Amino acid sequence: MRKYLYPLLVIIAASSYGVVSTIIKLAMNSGFSASEAVTSQFFIGFCIAVSIYFLTSRTKISFKGIKMLIFAGILTGFTNIVYGHSLNYLPASLAVVLLFQFTWIGMLISCITKRQLPTRIEFISILLLVLGTIPAAGLIDVDLTKIPLQGWIWGLAAAFCYSLFLYVNGRATARMNTSGRLVFVSFFAFMMSAAFQSPEIIWNGTLFNEGLWIYGLALGLFGMIFPVFLFTIAVPKVGLGMTSILSAIELPIAVMVSVILLSETVSTIQVAGIVIILLGISLPTMLTGKLLLMKNKIAKQKAKNKSYMTGELKKHIS
């Protein structure tokens, strides 16, 4: 069961991200802008991270390995900014599809850094994820001829930033605990978003007096605390390639949550796409588990055979 723990943490982290888009839409329905919602996400996320650190850590915060955490925080904020900018040129469905190209981009980064090709299972899984994303996002009836080049560039840039974010989170900082990493990542993510979004909500009363903090609290938990905390723990154990595959659960979760909270309708084609994505996610996990089980059985059988031969040899010598 323990071998499934870290993949499960990746799935929970990615599922948390899947809730974010619906919460932002709820905030917009309440009269707030997407920029204000994103700023509240990172500000309150940083406040929660600081609180967690002081409640759980008894040691002084360490600055060793901070360069990698600065990069992680910047990528966290930049992914949201670039993705939001892509929505100015793209329909939401196409923006989601382009963002989800992080599945094969993350696998490509993993192959380059490890200097090895993906396994056959991983390749088939990535293919299923790419094929399932298009119908799951409801992109079948979208006219792509009128999409400007800037939209494609910003959408793919968001996918690239998200892939780098996953890669950086896989680089463990041995001399810093998880809560310390969370503080630094959330701080630099907030600084990044404040530079390009709406930092004035903190002092003009929008955040606390007009009720934006309610959405900011939910966004901070699901869009910052849960995913960054869990990715920090799980990605070094699972690896970037498998993390990219498992993180595709974000899209089905986003669709399901929007149906529940926003009463959006889902077509049969979208359901089929979600099923394909779930198959692509579960395929490598199931097959890898079976391969490990077979290897363990073979190892145990070899050990038994070796023990038997040793016993027979001792009998023969005596």
Side-chain angles (χ1 to χ4, degrees):
M1 290 296 294
R2 192 170 182 179
K3 63 177 177 289
Y4 295 110
L5 174 61
Y6 295 110
L8 179 61
L9 293 181
V10 171
I11 290 174
I12 295 173
S15 298
S16 297
Y17 272 134
V19 180
V20 169
S21 59
T22 298
I23 299 175
I24 291 177
K25 288 181 180 179
L26 289 172
M28 293 174 69
N29 291 341
S30 297
F32 303 105
S33 67
S35 177
E36 291 173 336
V38 170
T39 303
S40 71
Q41 168 187 338
F42 288 113
F43 175 70
I44 295 183
F46 170 64
C47 293
I48 296 173
V50 172
S51 301
I52 291 173
Y53 178 80
F54 283 112
L55 289 173
T56 61
S57 181
R58 297 180 179 178
T59 59
K60 292 182 179 180
I61 195 164
S62 173
F63 289 88
K64 294 179 180 179
I66 192 174
K67 291 181 180 179
M68 189 61 68
L69 299 182
I70 293 174
F71 195 32
I74 290 174
L75 285 171
T76 303
F78 200 60
T79 300
N80 284 270
I81 293 169
V82 173
Y83 179 68
H85 199 64
S86 71
L87 291 172
N88 294 325
Y89 303 94
L90 302 172
S93 56
L94 180 55
V96 169
V97 170
L98 291 179
L99 176 64
F100 268 74
Q101 301 313 302
F102 77 83
T103 51
W104 65 265
I105 294 175
M107 183 65 70
L108 179 61
I109 293 174
S110 177
C111 293
I112 293 173
T113 54
K114 292 183 178 181
R115 297 182 180 179
Q116 65 182 32
L117 295 174
T119 64
R120 184 179 299 178
I121 297 172
E122 290 174 336
F123 180 79
I124 295 173
S125 180
I126 289 291
L127 183 62
L128 288 173
L129 293 178
V130 173
L131 291 176
T133 300
I134 297 174
L139 195 62
I140 299 298
D141 299 327
V142 176
D143 183 9
L144 301 180
T145 59
K146 297 180 180 179
I147 304 298
L149 179 61
Q150 299 98 310
W152 297 100
I153 294 174
W154 285 111
L156 291 175
F160 183 68
C161 289
Y162 189 58
S163 300
L164 288 178
F165 162 74
L166 294 176
Y167 171 72
V168 170
N169 268 274
R171 305 289 297 272
T173 304
R175 298 183 181 181
M176 188 181 297
N177 58 28
T178 306
S179 59
R181 285 173 59 94
L182 185 60
V183 169
F184 281 113
V185 172
S186 60
F187 172 74
F188 290 108
F190 168 61
M191 289 292 100
M192 190 69 181
S193 65
F196 295 95
Q197 300 292 318
S198 304
E200 67 274 4
I201 65 168
I202 300 171
W203 60 78
N204 68 5
T206 302
L207 181 60
F208 297 107
N209 295 337
E210 297 182 17
L212 178 58
W213 69 270
I214 299 174
Y215 300 102
L217 179 61
L219 289 169
L221 289 172
F222 289 104
M224 172 58 68
I225 302 300
F226 293 155
V228 172
F229 190 85
L230 296 177
F231 276 140
T232 299
I233 297 172
V235 175
K237 302 291 184 180
V238 177
L240 177 60
M242 185 61 71
T243 297
S244 298
I245 292 173
L246 296 175
S247 294
I249 191 68
E250 181 181 338
L251 179 56
I253 293 297
V255 173
M256 288 187 287
V257 172
S258 66
V259 170
I260 296 171
L261 297 181
L262 299 174
S263 300
E264 293 185 356
T265 57
V266 180
S267 66
T268 305
I269 295 177
Q270 284 180 289
V271 173
I274 290 173
V275 171
I276 294 173
I277 289 175
L278 294 176
L279 178 61
I281 294 170
S282 59
L283 183 64
T285 305
M286 291 188 299
L287 293 182
T288 301
K290 289 183 179 180
L291 289 174
L292 288 174
L293 185 62
M294 290 177 61
K295 288 181 180 179
N296 289 335
K297 286 183 178 181
I298 293 172
K300 287 180 181 179
Q301 188 61 44
K302 287 183 178 179
K304 286 182 180 179
N305 293 340
K306 185 177 181 180
S307 177
Y308 175 79
M309 294 297 295
T310 303
E312 290 296 317
L313 182 60
K314 288 181 178 179
K315 287 181 182 181
H316 181 72
I317 293 175
S318 60

